[in-house]
Amino acid sequence: MNWTPAALSQDIPSGSAAPGQLGDKDIVIWRSASGRIAAWSDRCPHRGMRLSHGFVRGEFLSCIYHGWRYGDGGQCHRIPAHPELTPPDAIKVPVFAVTESDGVVWVAQKDAEPEAPPPGLAGFSPLRTLRLSARPETVAAAFGGTGLDLRGELGGCAVVVLIQLLQGDQCNLHALAAKGADTATLDRVSAALEALRRQAETAEEIAA
């Protein structure tokens, strides 16, 4: 199993949490105050509330519903309704393997973490993420390539476009542009990405 690009690092600042996906699994990607990145199941073990709606305090992520607090390894550290109780070891959030490389957050199943690191993206800087209502192969064809790691040129700039598979014939595009590109060039790349989205989604509608 390979690493899956799940987010751009810039979109998960310290002290924040955001929803994500790994295949058919909903995950929460969050970063502690010290900058530690984590990827967990997006469900609180207590009542099933989405942890991506929760809040980060220091090195912990707390559920917004009843405030149950979770730390390293997904372990529950505090139950506010029972402040003197030490939560049992069995209360923990399922965790996923996660790593950051060249401004991209990559995730994988914990029990199937790839031995090799994610692909290198030296020379590129994260730009933006777009969600498309189109299959990955349709997006790749619109780009003029194949696969989930597309490299070429958009808007007169060298780019890398990483396709993340989602459910329901949807996908995310995590786009990176050549380092040092000026604002005008990045604006052209962003416009070209929007055009790529329209082309791919139109192709899907015609094929339906």
Side-chain angles (χ1 to χ4, degrees):
M1 184 175 182
N2 296 322
W3 290 104
T4 293
L8 297 179
S9 296
Q10 65 191 20
D11 295 331
I12 315 291
S14 295
S16 72
Q21 276 189 264
L22 177 60
D24 61 354
K25 295 179 175 61
D26 292 324
I27 63 175
V28 55
I29 304 170
W30 67 283
R31 193 185 299 278
S32 71
S34 68
R36 177 176 56 85
I37 195 76
W40 296 352
S41 173
D42 196 14
R43 294 290 178 186
C44 177
H46 181 215
R47 292 294 179 85
M49 174 64 72
R50 289 188 179 275
L51 289 170
S52 54
H53 295 327
F55 53 94
V56 179
R57 294 291 184 272
E59 302 304 295
F60 301 93
L61 175 62
S62 295
C63 179
I64 197 170
Y65 194 21
H66 289 114
W68 288 33
R69 181 188 299 170
Y70 302 91
D72 190 40
Q75 183 65 50
C76 183
H77 283 254
R78 185 172 187 270
I79 299 174
H82 304 282
E84 297 180 359
L85 173 70
T86 298
D89 290 344
I91 303 178
K92 62 191 306 181
V93 183
V95 303
F96 295 85
V98 61
T99 188
E100 289 185 276
S101 176
D102 297 316
V104 179
V105 178
W106 302 82
V107 297
Q109 292 284 357
K110 189 69 174 179
D111 57 357
E113 182 176 346
E115 294 184 3
L121 302 171
F124 293 89
S125 296
L127 179 58
R128 60 179 298 196
T129 294
L130 298 85
R131 176 164 292 202
L132 281 71
S133 296
R135 293 168 297 169
E137 56 267 29
T138 305
V139 177
F143 186 87
T146 59
L148 303 178
D149 184 334
L150 306 173
R151 304 188 184 220
E153 186 174 296
L154 287 175
C157 180
V159 298
V160 175
V161 176
L162 303 171
I163 302 179
Q164 177 190 2
L165 282 68
L166 303 175
Q167 290 180 289
D169 289 339
Q170 291 193 330
C171 63
N172 279 339
L173 301 188
H174 304 291
L176 300 90
K179 285 184 177 179
D182 59 29
T183 301
T185 299
L186 295 178
D187 286 344
R188 290 197 301 272
V189 174
S190 188
L193 287 166
E194 293 289 354
L196 177 66
R197 169 160 58 185
R198 291 192 295 272
Q199 181 180 346
E201 291 182 340
T202 298
E204 286 285 359
E205 292 174 0
I206 293 173

